[in-house]
Amino acid sequence: MPVPWFLLSLALGRSPVVLSLERLVGPQDATHCSPGLSCRLWDSDILCLPGDIVPAPGPVLAPTHLQTELVLRCQKETDCDLCLRVAVHLAVHGHWEEPEDEEKFGGAADSGVEEPRNASLQAQVVLSFQAYPTARCVLLEVQVPAALVQFGQSVGSVVYDCFEAALGSEVRIWSYTQPRYEKELNHTQQLPDCRGLEVWNSIPSCWALPWLNVSADGDNVHLVLNVSEEQHFGLSLYWNQVWPLEPDSVRTNICPFREDPRAHQNLWQAARLQLLTLQSWLLDAPCSLPAEAALCWRAPGGDPCQPLVPPLSWENVTVDKVLEFPLLKGHPNLCVQVNSSEKLQLQECLWADSLGPLKDDVLLLETRGPQDNRSLCALEPSGCTSLPSKASTRAARLGEYLLQDLQSGQCLQLWDDDLGALWACPMDKYIHKRWALVWLACLLFAAALSLILLLKKDHAKGWLRLLKQDVRSGAAARGRAALLLYSADDSGFERLVGALASALCQLPLRVAVDLWSRRELSAQGPVAWFHAQRRQTLQEGGVVVLLFSPGAVALCSEWLQDGVSGPGAHGPHDAFRASLSCVLPDFLQGRAPGSYVGACFDRLLHPDAVPALFRTVPVFTLPSQLPDFLGALQQPRAPRSGRLQERAEQVSRALQPALDSYFHPPGTPAPGRGVGPGAGPGAGDGT
């Protein structure tokens, strides 16, 4: 029987099954860079977590090419190890924003996004190495002076010395920046073994080869390794044969981050709960996580969310798999808790987005026993209070009224089972009754105070005058919240929107627009940013302004026709496209009047081009209907101010330069104008 060939690999040092992120023994790693650049190496390795690609806020440094070189790292003249030197070539990608942006937006844009043109560029470049059994990530900080910043041009390179790896191993290298603006670079380097090196006398792991003898005696193979007692070697045998078609069994399973609390924290920070329908939801996470979930009830006032276990039970959660709760109705106070390793990791009130803020309702738990016996208790922070009860809690004092509401059908049934049911009963009317006497006492006190002030008429006039001024100044300082939504058709239209938002800020309005929140928009994503802004605006009694353009009308038509927005050439900051998933339900369910207002610019879009669904709220043309538009932005019960016309003229004067810049003279074509519904002849030239 012939003796099969095998390969021998010798490695000096520790066992190859040990995986460590600690620094290698020997001289410190170092870095240097091209003339004119400054760089430094972080003192310790970092976790290899590249993260998702995010939009660049402006000009950034990005790796463009990797170059490697073999060197020796020596403790002594005859005690060296093979080391890999890596050079990362860098270039400037991206561009500065147009200089006229600052003028058009009136300085209202986010100052954290724009940088002076003569500023230097900084970057954190990550080098990731993988060569079994070692994996490392190092961080290099690089700074480029303003004189070398040329868009699209190389600025030099930064060199890292060096990464130690075993002889004959394959080293895989990745390079990217933190945060990551582009796809990472990758390079594979095959290291030579002792037979391919001329300096093997300097590498102790190669000294065993002259004393290695292999012989065969029939089916037996004899391996003789003659080394001195002072030398320590690890020997690995690899059969040189074809692997079978069946997958090989797992011999080693290394999970270095399984017990790392920082890694678990990073994973849960990236996890999200998504509500799909009334009963279905899923856990969106970057990888599989052992977890279980249950419903809980969160009452207003800051009390902890109380798990509804029992009567409901904890359910095992599978990442990216649709799960269901047996609910009959949704409620804003119902939340989902996700636990892992007996610790609360996520808690979100998924129904609050569609059903509004938390309500002051009491949750009644009905328990059904044999022979049609049933009992009721009210869920409170101190526990579940039986009804009726003589306890001193709020639910116990109102227990009789709650039972009457339950019998008369005024409570909302959330869940029903053979063993019990859950009911949500409103408490607002009882709170109003309790405070009726208090309000009556306050009114009597106010009447007495007014009588005293009338006796001192002159002093009363001065006091009332000061009080009126304080109220007016306080209302003007705060103003009503207004969220401005638009479709980013082109850069010119964005400048026009910025001019309108800046003009409205001069009035008693608190305007929010994505142009001024690009940093938060990039960090959170358009959908999450819009949902947070919309919820805050509506909770504060504000108004959402839909600014229609040809691009916005086209997007609305897509949603109304297909139920989902198809792909298009839209920027990463287009919050209007992301907002339609939440705006449309408000219009379809009749919640839009009083909370939404529409607007469009004269000569750009006719109001009849706006889809009929969105014309259920007032739609104004600007600037011809500015007085009515500003009147709609006031508080619902606020009296019409005599200064409304004056404010409209003020906004019109501030908006006119932007309108003149956007609409070119007749006969001059402008890209991006006159495309979409309602943008026919005369839409862009005023005819």
Side-chain angles (χ1 to χ4, degrees), residues 487 489-490 548-558 603-606 608-611 662 670-684:
S487 174
D489 292 2
D490 51 44
F548 288 100
S549 64
V553 171
L555 282 176
C556 294
S557 300
E558 289 182 20
R603 298 189 293 165
L604 180 63
L605 187 74
H606 195 276
D608 293 340
V610 177
Y662 184 76
R673 278 64 155 181
V675 179

Side-chain angles (χ1 to χ4, degrees), residues 43-62:
D43 296 335
S44 60
D45 292 356
I46 64 173
L47 292 176
C48 304
L49 298 175
D52 297 330
I53 297 178
V54 299
V60 295
L61 292 177

Side-chain angles (χ1 to χ4, degrees), residues 7-336:
L7 302 177
L8 299 176
S9 174
L10 298 172
L12 177 64
R14 54 195 178 195
S15 171
V17 299
V18 177
L19 180 63
S20 173
L21 291 179
E22 299 179 358
R23 301 181 63 84
L24 298 177
V25 178
Q28 296 293 326
D29 295 346
T31 183
H32 57 277
C33 47
S34 301
L37 308 184
S38 60
C39 56
R40 78 177 186 93
L41 174 67
W42 271 40
D43 296 335
S44 60
D45 292 356
I46 64 173
L47 292 176
C48 304
L49 298 175
D52 297 330
I53 297 178
V54 299
V60 295
L61 292 177
T64 59
H65 178 62
L66 294 178
Q67 187 176 357
T68 59
E69 179 183 1
L70 292 178
V71 294
L72 287 179
R73 168 173 285 176
C74 301
Q75 305 286 348
K76 299 178 182 179
E77 182 178 357
T78 59
D79 185 8
C80 300
D81 291 301
L82 193 62
C83 210
L84 189 62
R85 171 182 295 163
V86 180
V88 183
H89 295 265
L90 303 172
V92 179
H93 290 177
H95 57 83
W96 300 104
E97 294 186 357
E98 294 297 330
E100 61 267 19
D101 286 352
E102 298 180 358
E103 302 176 0
K104 298 304 179 182
F105 295 152
D110 188 355
S111 59
V113 177
E114 299 183 2
E115 299 289 345
R117 291 179 177 270
N118 57 353
S120 60
L121 290 183
Q122 295 182 350
Q124 292 185 338
V125 180
V126 178
L127 280 176
S128 175
F129 301 93
Q130 288 190 7
Y132 185 84
T134 305
R136 292 185 60 194
C137 276
V138 297
L139 184 63
L140 312 175
E141 288 189 346
V142 186
Q143 184 171 358
V144 179
L148 297 181
V149 176
Q150 296 182 2
F151 306 123
Q153 299 296 326
S154 175
V155 297
S157 61
V158 57
V159 179
Y160 168 72
D161 281 333
C162 59
F163 174 73
E164 297 183 8
L167 295 169
S169 64
E170 182 182 80
V171 182
R172 296 184 178 181
I173 310 170
W174 289 269
S175 180
Y176 50 88
T177 59
Q178 284 189 347
R180 188 159 65 100
Y181 302 115
E182 298 180 358
K183 184 178 180 181
E184 66 270 13
L185 296 180
N186 63 81
H187 178 77
T188 302
Q189 178 72 39
Q190 181 68 47
L191 300 187
D193 55 18
C194 295
R195 293 171 296 180
L197 293 174
E198 298 181 358
V199 293
W200 64 270
N201 289 332
S202 301
I203 302 178
S205 59
C206 294
W207 295 351
L209 286 180
W211 302 286
L212 183 63
N213 184 19
V214 181
S215 61
D217 182 12
D219 294 339
N220 299 322
V221 177
H222 300 280
L223 174 65
V224 179
L225 184 63
N226 185 13
V227 296
S228 62
E229 296 180 356
E230 294 80 8
Q231 295 176 336
H232 302 279
F233 291 89
L235 179 63
S236 300
L237 301 179
Y238 302 92
W239 288 101
N240 186 16
Q241 64 181 8
V242 179
W243 289 97
L245 296 178
E246 295 79 7
D248 195 13
S249 60
V250 177
R251 292 170 172 81
T252 304
N253 187 12
I254 303 174
C255 300
F257 303 110
R258 176 173 293 171
E259 305 300 331
D260 190 345
R262 296 173 300 176
H264 284 263
Q265 182 179 3
N266 292 337
L267 289 176
W268 282 111
Q269 287 179 350
R272 293 291 183 271
L273 296 177
Q274 296 182 6
L275 180 66
L276 303 179
T277 63
L278 171 65
Q279 298 178 333
S280 61
W281 61 280
L282 61 81
L283 173 62
D284 183 11
C287 60
S288 179
L289 298 170
E292 54 183 5
L295 286 175
C296 65
W297 179 265
R298 183 181 178 185
D303 293 328
C305 197
Q306 298 175 272
L308 301 180
V309 179
L312 301 178
S313 60
W314 290 96
E315 299 290 342
N316 293 329
V317 178
T318 303
V319 174
D320 294 333
K321 181 181 179 181
V322 178
L323 302 173
E324 292 187 357
F325 281 126
L327 292 175
L328 301 177
K329 298 286 185 179
H331 196 280
N333 295 27
L334 283 176
C335 306
V336 177

